[in-house]
Structure formats: C-alpha cells, structure tokens
Amino acid sequence: MRAEAQAHIDSIKDALALLRRFLDWDRALRRLDELNARVEDQALWNDPKAAQAVMRERRRLDEAITATRAIESELNDTAELIEMAEVEGDTEMESEGVAALADLARRADTDKVKALLAGEADGNDTYIEVNAGAGGTESQDWAGMLSRMYSRWGERHGLKVELIDQHSGEQAGIKSATLLLKGENAYGYAKTESGVHRLVRISPYDSAARRHTSFASVWVYPVVDDNIEVEYNESDLRIDTYRASGAGGQHINTTDSAVRITHIPTGIVVQCQNQRSQHKNKAEAYNQLRARLYERELAIREAAANAENAGKTDIGWGHQIRSYVLQPYQMVKDLRTGVTSSSPSDVLDGDLDAFMAAALSQRVTGETVEVEDVE
C-alpha cells in the first residue's frame, strides 16, 4: 500500500482511538441506552429543565457514537477498495481511494475535536480576557495584537464578537480587554488558550531596531447560562463606579457609568464600560462575575484537566504556553503540544484551530511532550 495511504489510515486510526478513549466506549453505549429509555418515559417531560438536559446529553452522545461508527465503516471500505485496486493494477481507482482517505482523515480530525467538547460548559459562549505584561508600550501593543487575533478567530468561526471592556495603552495597544464571543462551543474551543503568550520581534518603537520580548496573558472563562447555578453573597461584593475611558470624541462618557465589581473572598475583579448606561454595565459585570466564579469552581473540580490560568501566574518567563517569533525568522510554537506554524501572520489573523485541537486532545490523553522554547 502507498505510504501516503498508510499515513492517512494511521491518522484516522489515531483519531478513532482517541474518540473511543474519550467516550469510554462501552460506558457511552450503555449511557445512550439509558438516555433513550428516559426519553420514552412520559414522566420526564413533566420537568422541562430536566428533559432539556437529558436531550442535550443524548444528542451529544448519539452524534459522537454515530460519527465514530461511520468513520470506522468508511475506513474499512476504502482500505479494501485500495487493496483491490492494487491487486488489479487499477491506478486510477487506487488514486481515488487515497483521495477518499485524505478526506476521511480531515473529517475524522474535525469529528474528534467536536467530540472532545463534552465538558459541562463547552457549548456555552465565552469571555476572553487579555492583559498586557510588564514592559509598557511593547507589551501593550502585543496585548492589542492578541485581542485582534481572538476577534478574527471568532469571526472565522461565525461567532459574534463583542468588546465588553478595554483600557487603552498610553502610546499604543491596550492594557487590558475583555471580549465576549457568542456561538456554539465558543468556550469549548477557546478554553485551552488560557496562559501567557510570548512575542519576539524587532520593536517598531525602538529607534535602534533591537529585538524585544513581550508578554501578555489570556484568560478564558465560560458565560454562565440559566442551567448553571452560581452562588455568592451580595455582602461579599464591593461595587465601584467610575468614568469610562476611551480615545475621546462623541463616545466618551461624561458620567460615572462604568462599573467595577470585586468579589472580596476570592479577589476576583470584573468591570464593564462599553455601555452608556450604568445599569447595563452593572448587569454585564454581574454576568462576568458569575462566569469567573463558575470557572474557578471548574478549576477546583477538574484540576487535572484544567489549563493553567494566566491570571494565577506571573506574566513572564517560565509560564508561557506559546511563543510567537517574528524576527529573525518566522515561527509560532506551542510549548505544551509542540504544534508549530511557520506563518505567524496567519496565526495572528485567527488561524488557531491546529493549536486548539492539539491542546484538547492532550487533555484527554494526559500525554506531555518535551518542547524547547524558541529563541
């Protein structure tokens, strides 16, 4: 069999093995039977909230199991077709079979990633918070580049992207920004991006054209919907109002409409200033607070599978999850999975799928790789 065909077969088998491992195949089949039986029980429909949860789990399991079986069946049929073509010397049929395997490998990889999005909040909308590290204008410009990168990634995937809060840098970039990405599986895909991101480039702000290293942190947490209860005491909150900042002009606020909420027991701080109305900003800040508290609970409950939270580490050397090198050569390298790209411009324009898929897979396998940082 051609080496190309065998490479595709190996890739598909790896994806199938990961899917079966993640689903815990035998348990998943039993659980699907249980859910199908519950759906047939008329008593379930007396509780719409419970019925919705059962249907959501049933649909997710059924889709994953059906997709896995379909890939296995198609892989066997296509492999047999290629073997037959080799025996008969039909090169055209063999080429068609190899092309079909290539398409199947791409589909298997896509289905694998979708199936990995089975966490409690993976289907939810998500907040992405970007903070500049030490270094003034350099890091603030880098934080601005990251904020744009995640906006572009969201747009590529048909997500609605809203800027919730932003504090501009003195000369360029941003000190911090919070984005809200709305759409299916927004949090599930983006959650592995939490961490410190490092940039190496020749600074456009250095008259001596020297290389600079800049750091910024990214923190991803899910929007909490009505199906998730988050408890906190109002007495534990400190609520401050202040005048929203901006670049000036007609959109500058002249009243104290921006809202900052501090959860005193945990030190969590959220803020919103994108609306003119203090009431609307306060409501959005409360949404962020519930999301942050829920993310904190997820981190406690799922510590073994939780990515490092950028907000809990220093924004600097030794903590970065990914390095982006623009000079003297071009490379983006993920320091957890080893995935690389030789086109930083594409990555910074939102081409993040390969990095996210590898990080999601790593959460399932628990396998770590020895990765050297780039200089």
Side-chain angles (χ1 to χ4, degrees), residues 118 151 266 272-273 288 319 367:
S151 294
T266 61
C272 183
Q273 63 169 342
Q288 290 184 61
H319 298 290
E367 297 172 356

Side-chain angles (χ1 to χ4, degrees), residues 15-285:
L16 288 170
L18 183 65
L19 275 168
R20 282 178 165 270
R21 178 175 174 176
F22 175 73
L23 289 169
D24 190 353
W25 188 253
D26 292 336
R27 185 207 63 80
L29 295 177
R30 290 194 301 271
R31 180 59 179 164
L32 184 58
D33 287 341
E34 292 171 4
L35 293 171
N36 286 334
R38 288 197 66 187
V39 169
E40 297 297 324
D41 184 356
Q42 293 300 315
L44 172 67
W45 303 99
N46 295 329
D47 184 347
K49 189 174 181 180
Q52 186 180 39
V54 168
M55 291 300 293
R56 186 164 54 240
E57 183 183 0
R58 177 178 175 270
R59 183 180 67 252
R60 188 184 71 240
L61 262 183
D62 184 57
E63 288 177 352
I65 290 170
T66 300
T68 302
R69 284 173 166 164
I71 292 170
E72 288 174 335
S73 176
E74 198 168 330
L75 172 61
N76 292 332
D77 291 344
T78 307
E80 289 177 5
L81 178 69
I82 292 175
E83 290 177 358
M84 184 186 303
E86 288 177 338
V87 171
E88 297 178 357
D90 190 334
T91 56
E92 183 177 352
M93 182 187 295
E94 185 180 358
S95 296
E96 290 176 357
V98 173
L101 280 178
D103 288 339
L104 185 60
R106 284 189 289 270
R107 201 173 86 217
D109 194 57
T110 299
D111 287 345
K112 175 190 72 177
V113 174
K114 285 182 179 178
L116 297 180
L117 304 178
E120 187 175 358
D122 283 355
N124 292 22
D125 301 337
T126 190
Y127 293 105
I128 299 181
E129 183 180 307
V130 181
N131 291 282
T137 300
E138 286 294 333
S139 293
Q140 290 166 14
D141 190 42
W142 173 222
M145 293 166 67
L146 285 174
S147 180
R148 178 189 178 277
M149 180 180 77
Y150 290 113
S151 294
R152 292 289 296 118
W153 171 78
E155 291 164 0
R156 280 172 174 241
H157 287 267
L159 304 178
K160 183 179 180 181
V161 181
E162 297 179 10
L163 180 63
I164 298 300
D165 186 74
Q166 179 171 295
H167 296 267
S168 300
E170 284 83 1
Q171 292 182 303
I174 59 171
K175 295 178 181 177
S176 65
T178 301
L179 303 172
L180 172 58
L181 278 64
K182 296 181 176 180
E184 185 178 2
N185 292 324
Y187 174 67
Y189 282 112
K191 64 184 179 183
T192 59
E193 291 296 295
S194 287
V196 176
H197 296 244
R198 168 180 174 250
L199 173 70
V200 179
R201 66 172 175 175
I202 294 176
S203 170
Y205 306 102
D206 187 339
S207 58
R210 292 171 293 191
R211 276 212 312 168
H212 284 248
T213 298
S214 306
F215 298 93
S217 71
V218 174
W219 194 350
V220 181
Y221 46 100
V223 172
V224 179
D225 56 27
D226 294 337
N227 296 318
I228 299 172
E229 295 183 3
V230 178
E231 296 182 358
Y232 57 85
N233 295 320
E234 288 287 339
S235 59
D236 289 334
L237 306 182
R238 184 176 71 244
I239 302 176
D240 302 305
T241 59
Y242 58 97
R243 188 160 298 178
S245 61
Q250 63 177 339
H251 297 298
I252 254 309
N253 283 329
T254 56
T255 60
D256 290 347
S257 61
V259 175
R260 179 187 297 112
I261 301 178
T262 303
H263 185 251
I264 297 171
T266 61
I268 290 174
V269 179
V270 295
Q271 51 198 11
C272 183
Q273 63 169 342
N274 69 319
Q275 302 288 343
R276 288 181 177 272
S277 162
Q278 184 185 112
H279 176 74
K280 291 181 179 179
N281 282 330
K282 187 175 182 180
E284 179 56 42

